[in-house]
Amino acid sequence: MVAPALLLLLALPAGAWRGLGLPRRPCVQCCHPAWPPAAPGPGAHVSDGDAWEGLPRLRPTIDISILKGEKGEAGVRGRSGRSGKEGPPGSRGLRGRKGQKGQAGLPGAQCPRAYAAFSVGRREGLHSADALQAVTFDTELVNLDGAFDLASGRFFCTAPGVYFLSLNVHTWNYKETYLHIMRNARAAAVLYAQPSERSVMQAQSLLLPLAAGDAVWVRMFQRDRDNAIFGESGDLYITFSGHLVKPDAEL
Protein backbone atom coordinates (compact mmCIF):
# COMPACT_ATOMS: atom_id res chain seq x y z
CA MET A 1 0.00 0.00 0.00
CA VAL A 2 2.86 2.35 0.77
CA ALA A 3 4.55 1.95 -2.54
CA PRO A 4 1.48 2.71 -4.61
CA ALA A 5 0.77 5.76 -2.44
CA LEU A 6 4.24 7.16 -3.03
CA LEU A 7 3.84 6.63 -6.68
CA LEU A 8 0.59 8.59 -6.65
CA LEU A 9 2.22 11.48 -4.76
CA LEU A 10 5.10 11.69 -7.19
CA ALA A 11 2.66 11.68 -10.04
CA LEU A 12 0.86 14.77 -8.79
CA PRO A 13 1.64 18.05 -10.50
CA ALA A 14 3.74 20.62 -8.68
CA GLY A 15 0.76 22.94 -8.02
CA ALA A 16 -1.27 20.17 -6.25
CA TRP A 17 1.12 19.88 -3.32
CA ARG A 18 -0.32 22.96 -1.64
CA GLY A 19 -3.84 21.51 -1.39
CA LEU A 20 -2.69 18.44 0.49
CA GLY A 21 -2.14 20.48 3.68
CA LEU A 22 1.30 19.05 4.21
CA PRO A 23 3.50 20.88 6.68
CA ARG A 24 6.14 23.23 5.14
CA ARG A 25 9.69 23.10 6.20
CA PRO A 26 12.22 25.78 5.47
CA CYS A 27 14.61 25.05 2.60
CA VAL A 28 18.11 24.48 3.75
CA GLN A 29 21.03 25.15 1.38
CA CYS A 30 23.01 21.99 1.29
CA CYS A 31 25.38 22.74 -1.57
CA HIS A 32 27.02 25.65 -3.31
CA PRO A 33 24.61 27.39 -5.65
CA ALA A 34 25.28 27.01 -9.33
CA TRP A 35 26.65 30.06 -11.15
CA PRO A 36 25.22 31.43 -13.21
CA PRO A 37 21.86 30.32 -11.71
CA ALA A 38 19.70 28.16 -13.90
CA ALA A 39 16.51 29.52 -15.33
CA PRO A 40 13.37 28.38 -13.43
CA GLY A 41 11.37 25.58 -14.89
CA PRO A 42 7.84 25.87 -16.27
CA GLY A 43 6.28 24.73 -12.98
CA ALA A 44 8.38 26.82 -10.61
CA HIS A 45 6.81 29.53 -8.54
CA VAL A 46 8.05 33.01 -9.37
CA SER A 47 7.58 35.79 -6.88
CA ASP A 48 6.69 39.33 -7.84
CA GLY A 49 10.28 40.48 -7.15
CA ASP A 50 11.68 37.80 -9.43
CA ALA A 51 9.31 38.48 -12.32
CA TRP A 52 11.91 40.43 -14.27
CA GLU A 53 14.89 38.23 -13.61
CA GLY A 54 14.24 35.89 -16.44
CA LEU A 55 13.81 38.58 -19.01
CA PRO A 56 16.83 39.71 -21.15
CA ARG A 57 18.42 43.00 -20.15
CA LEU A 58 18.05 45.80 -22.70
CA ARG A 59 20.23 48.92 -22.93
CA PRO A 60 18.58 51.87 -24.64
CA THR A 61 20.62 53.60 -27.40
CA ILE A 62 19.98 56.89 -29.15
CA ASP A 63 20.85 57.46 -32.79
CA ILE A 64 22.62 60.83 -32.70
CA SER A 65 22.38 61.15 -36.48
CA ILE A 66 18.59 61.41 -36.17
CA LEU A 67 18.79 64.21 -33.59
CA LYS A 68 21.60 66.15 -35.41
CA GLY A 69 20.36 69.26 -37.11
CA GLU A 70 21.67 71.18 -40.10
CA LYS A 71 25.03 73.02 -39.95
CA GLY A 72 24.67 76.58 -38.76
CA GLU A 73 26.26 79.70 -40.17
CA ALA A 74 29.80 80.70 -39.14
CA GLY A 75 29.92 83.02 -36.16
CA VAL A 76 31.68 86.37 -35.88
CA ARG A 77 35.45 86.04 -35.68
CA GLY A 78 36.73 86.65 -32.18
CA ARG A 79 39.57 88.91 -31.16
CA SER A 80 43.14 87.81 -31.65
CA GLY A 81 44.75 86.41 -28.55
CA ARG A 82 47.90 87.73 -26.97
CA SER A 83 51.21 86.81 -28.50
CA GLY A 84 52.81 83.85 -26.82
CA LYS A 85 56.33 83.68 -25.50
CA GLU A 86 59.10 83.29 -28.02
CA GLY A 87 60.04 79.68 -28.41
CA PRO A 88 63.54 78.25 -28.66
CA PRO A 89 65.29 78.65 -32.05
CA GLY A 90 64.70 75.81 -34.40
CA SER A 91 67.28 73.82 -36.25
CA ARG A 92 68.89 75.36 -39.30
CA GLY A 93 67.00 74.71 -42.48
CA LEU A 94 68.30 73.53 -45.80
CA ARG A 95 70.17 75.99 -47.95
CA GLY A 96 67.95 77.60 -50.51
CA ARG A 97 68.64 78.12 -54.17
CA LYS A 98 70.78 81.00 -55.28
CA GLY A 99 68.71 83.99 -56.27
CA GLN A 100 68.94 85.91 -59.49
CA LYS A 101 71.52 88.60 -59.91
CA GLY A 102 70.16 92.02 -59.06
CA GLN A 103 70.42 95.11 -61.17
CA ALA A 104 73.48 97.29 -60.93
CA GLY A 105 73.05 100.27 -58.67
CA LEU A 106 73.71 103.88 -59.50
CA PRO A 107 77.38 104.89 -59.58
CA GLY A 108 78.51 106.40 -56.31
CA ALA A 109 80.50 109.53 -55.76
CA GLN A 110 84.16 109.21 -56.57
CA CYS A 111 86.33 108.97 -53.49
CA PRO A 112 88.93 111.70 -53.25
CA ARG A 113 92.41 110.25 -53.77
CA ALA A 114 95.68 111.92 -52.97
CA TYR A 115 98.47 111.73 -55.55
CA ALA A 116 102.05 112.99 -55.45
CA ALA A 117 105.05 112.10 -57.60
CA PHE A 118 108.19 113.64 -59.02
CA SER A 119 111.19 112.54 -61.05
CA VAL A 120 113.99 114.97 -61.98
CA GLY A 121 117.50 114.70 -63.38
CA ARG A 122 120.82 116.54 -63.68
CA ARG A 123 123.01 116.41 -66.81
CA GLU A 124 125.93 118.45 -65.53
CA GLY A 125 128.47 116.92 -63.15
CA LEU A 126 129.04 118.42 -59.72
CA HIS A 127 132.08 118.82 -57.45
CA SER A 128 131.99 119.47 -53.72
CA ALA A 129 132.78 122.89 -52.23
CA ASP A 130 134.15 124.07 -48.92
CA ALA A 131 130.66 123.93 -47.40
CA LEU A 132 127.69 121.62 -47.67
CA GLN A 133 125.63 122.28 -50.81
CA ALA A 134 122.26 121.23 -52.21
CA VAL A 135 122.24 119.32 -55.47
CA THR A 136 120.06 121.19 -57.99
CA PHE A 137 118.47 119.69 -61.08
CA ASP A 138 117.96 120.86 -64.65
CA THR A 139 115.67 118.22 -66.15
CA GLU A 140 112.02 117.65 -65.18
CA LEU A 141 110.59 114.22 -66.01
CA VAL A 142 107.52 114.12 -63.75
CA ASN A 143 106.37 116.90 -61.45
CA LEU A 144 102.72 116.57 -60.35
CA ASP A 145 101.22 119.87 -59.25
CA GLY A 146 104.67 121.49 -59.54
CA ALA A 147 105.62 120.29 -56.04
CA PHE A 148 109.34 119.99 -56.95
CA ASP A 149 111.42 123.17 -57.30
CA LEU A 150 114.27 122.58 -59.75
CA ALA A 151 116.18 125.72 -58.75
CA SER A 152 116.43 124.77 -55.06
CA GLY A 153 116.42 121.02 -55.66
CA ARG A 154 113.59 120.52 -53.11
CA PHE A 155 110.30 118.62 -53.13
CA PHE A 156 107.68 120.20 -50.89
CA CYS A 157 105.10 117.75 -49.51
CA THR A 158 101.44 118.75 -49.91
CA ALA A 159 99.92 115.25 -49.48
CA PRO A 160 101.13 113.74 -46.19
CA GLY A 161 101.81 110.03 -46.10
CA VAL A 162 104.47 107.44 -46.81
CA TYR A 163 106.75 108.16 -49.79
CA PHE A 164 109.21 106.06 -51.76
CA LEU A 165 112.41 107.98 -52.63
CA SER A 166 115.22 106.95 -54.94
CA LEU A 167 118.57 108.59 -55.81
CA ASN A 168 120.83 107.40 -58.66
CA VAL A 169 124.24 108.86 -59.54
CA HIS A 170 127.34 108.04 -61.58
CA THR A 171 130.63 108.12 -59.65
CA TRP A 172 133.73 109.93 -60.92
CA ASN A 173 137.02 108.11 -61.54
CA TYR A 174 139.41 108.38 -58.58
CA LYS A 175 136.98 110.60 -56.68
CA GLU A 176 134.80 109.99 -53.63
CA THR A 177 131.01 110.13 -53.82
CA TYR A 178 129.32 111.28 -50.61
CA LEU A 179 125.68 112.40 -50.67
CA HIS A 180 122.75 112.54 -48.23
CA ILE A 181 119.00 112.29 -48.85
CA MET A 182 117.63 114.97 -46.54
CA ARG A 183 114.27 115.50 -44.86
CA ASN A 184 114.19 119.15 -43.88
CA ALA A 185 117.53 119.72 -42.03
CA ARG A 186 118.20 116.09 -41.06
CA ALA A 187 119.88 113.36 -43.09
CA ALA A 188 117.59 110.39 -43.74
CA ALA A 189 119.98 108.20 -45.79
CA VAL A 190 123.48 108.29 -47.27
CA LEU A 191 124.83 107.38 -50.69
CA TYR A 192 128.56 106.68 -50.60
CA ALA A 193 131.21 105.26 -52.93
CA GLN A 194 134.96 105.09 -52.33
CA PRO A 195 137.42 106.47 -54.89
CA SER A 196 138.14 103.96 -57.66
CA GLU A 197 139.84 103.88 -61.02
CA ARG A 198 136.53 102.82 -62.51
CA SER A 199 133.31 104.84 -62.43
CA VAL A 200 130.08 103.00 -61.54
CA MET A 201 126.40 103.69 -61.10
CA GLN A 202 125.45 104.00 -57.45
CA ALA A 203 121.89 104.02 -56.01
CA GLN A 204 120.03 104.55 -52.74
CA SER A 205 116.32 104.18 -52.00
CA LEU A 206 114.07 104.26 -48.95
CA LEU A 207 110.51 104.68 -47.64
CA LEU A 208 110.02 107.85 -45.66
CA PRO A 209 106.94 109.33 -43.90
CA LEU A 210 106.38 112.97 -44.80
CA ALA A 211 104.11 115.53 -43.20
CA ALA A 212 102.54 118.47 -45.01
CA GLY A 213 105.23 121.14 -45.59
CA ASP A 214 108.21 118.78 -45.26
CA ALA A 215 111.03 119.31 -47.79
CA VAL A 216 113.07 116.50 -49.33
CA TRP A 217 116.38 117.24 -51.09
CA VAL A 218 119.88 115.90 -51.85
CA ARG A 219 122.96 117.32 -50.13
CA MET A 220 126.59 116.97 -51.24
CA PHE A 221 129.08 116.67 -48.42
CA GLN A 222 131.80 119.27 -47.95
CA ARG A 223 135.32 118.90 -49.36
CA ASP A 224 137.39 116.72 -47.07
CA ARG A 225 138.59 114.84 -50.11
CA ASP A 226 137.72 115.42 -53.73
CA ASN A 227 133.98 114.61 -53.79
CA ALA A 228 132.07 114.59 -57.10
CA ILE A 229 129.32 113.04 -59.23
CA PHE A 230 129.70 112.57 -62.96
CA GLY A 231 127.38 113.96 -65.62
CA GLU A 232 127.32 114.97 -69.27
CA SER A 233 124.89 116.74 -71.54
CA GLY A 234 124.29 113.77 -73.82
CA ASP A 235 123.06 111.26 -71.19
CA LEU A 236 121.13 111.49 -67.93
CA TYR A 237 123.14 109.84 -65.16
CA ILE A 238 121.86 111.67 -62.07
CA THR A 239 118.17 111.20 -61.13
CA PHE A 240 116.09 111.84 -58.04
CA SER A 241 112.54 110.43 -57.84
CA GLY A 242 109.76 109.96 -55.32
CA HIS A 243 106.05 109.16 -55.10
CA LEU A 244 103.31 108.79 -52.50
CA VAL A 245 102.73 105.17 -51.54
CA LYS A 246 99.90 105.63 -49.06
CA PRO A 247 98.32 108.81 -47.73
CA ASP A 248 97.83 109.44 -44.03
CA ALA A 249 94.04 109.14 -44.43
CA GLU A 250 94.44 105.45 -45.32
CA LEU A 251 96.95 104.53 -42.62
Side-chain angles (χ1 to χ4, degrees), residues 2-246:
V2 175
L6 290 175
L7 293 174
L8 289 174
L9 290 174
L10 292 174
L12 290 176
W17 285 83
R18 297 180 182 179
L20 295 177
L22 296 175
R24 296 183 179 180
R25 295 182 179 179
C27 181
V28 177
Q29 184 73 33
C30 60
C31 62
H32 294 289
W35 188 261
H45 174 70
V46 180
S47 63
D48 293 340
D50 298 335
W52 301 95
E53 290 184 0
L55 298 177
R57 294 183 179 181
L58 300 178
R59 294 183 177 180
T61 57
I62 300 175
D63 191 353
I64 302 299
S65 61
I66 299 175
L67 302 179
K68 185 177 180 182
E70 297 181 358
K71 184 177 181 180
E73 297 180 357
V76 180
R77 185 174 183 178
R79 297 179 180 179
S80 299
R82 296 180 180 178
S83 299
K85 295 182 180 179
E86 184 178 358
S91 57
R92 186 173 182 179
L94 299 177
R95 186 174 182 179
R97 296 180 179 178
K98 184 178 181 180
Q100 297 180 354
K101 185 177 181 180
Q103 297 180 353
L106 298 175
Q110 186 175 3
C111 297
R113 185 78 183 270
Y115 294 94
F118 69 90
S119 184
V120 294
R122 180 183 175 99
R123 297 185 184 276
E124 185 181 354
L126 182 65
H127 291 265
S128 61
D130 294 336
L132 302 175
Q133 63 176 323
V135 178
T136 59
F137 297 88
D138 53 28
T139 303
E140 183 181 281
L141 302 175
V142 174
N143 191 9
L144 296 183
D145 300 328
F148 195 95
D149 182 22
L150 293 175
S152 64
R154 283 170 167 79
F155 167 75
F156 295 96
C157 177
T158 58
V162 177
Y163 282 77
F164 175 79
L165 303 172
S166 176
L167 175 62
N168 295 270
V169 300
H170 194 289
T171 64
W172 209 305
N173 293 4
Y174 302 105
K175 294 184 180 182
E176 186 180 41
T177 302
Y178 194 0
L179 304 168
H180 286 103
I181 298 177
M182 306 291 293
R183 178 176 58 185
N184 299 325
R186 299 189 63 178
V190 62
L191 186 152
Y192 180 78
Q194 292 181 342
S196 174
E197 62 181 6
R198 298 181 59 185
S199 61
V200 294
M201 292 295 299
Q202 196 78 359
Q204 176 66 282
S205 60
L206 72 160
L207 286 169
L208 193 64
L210 299 179
D214 282 349
V216 177
W217 52 290
V218 179
R219 184 184 70 181
M220 178 172 277
F221 203 70
Q222 62 194 24
R223 180 182 293 169
D224 289 337
R225 286 180 287 182
D226 197 3
N227 181 19
I229 52 177
F230 177 80
E232 62 180 15
S233 59
D235 293 312
L236 189 62
Y237 290 98
I238 306 166
T239 60
F240 183 39
S241 304
H243 66 274
L244 177 63
V245 177
K246 198 164 189 178

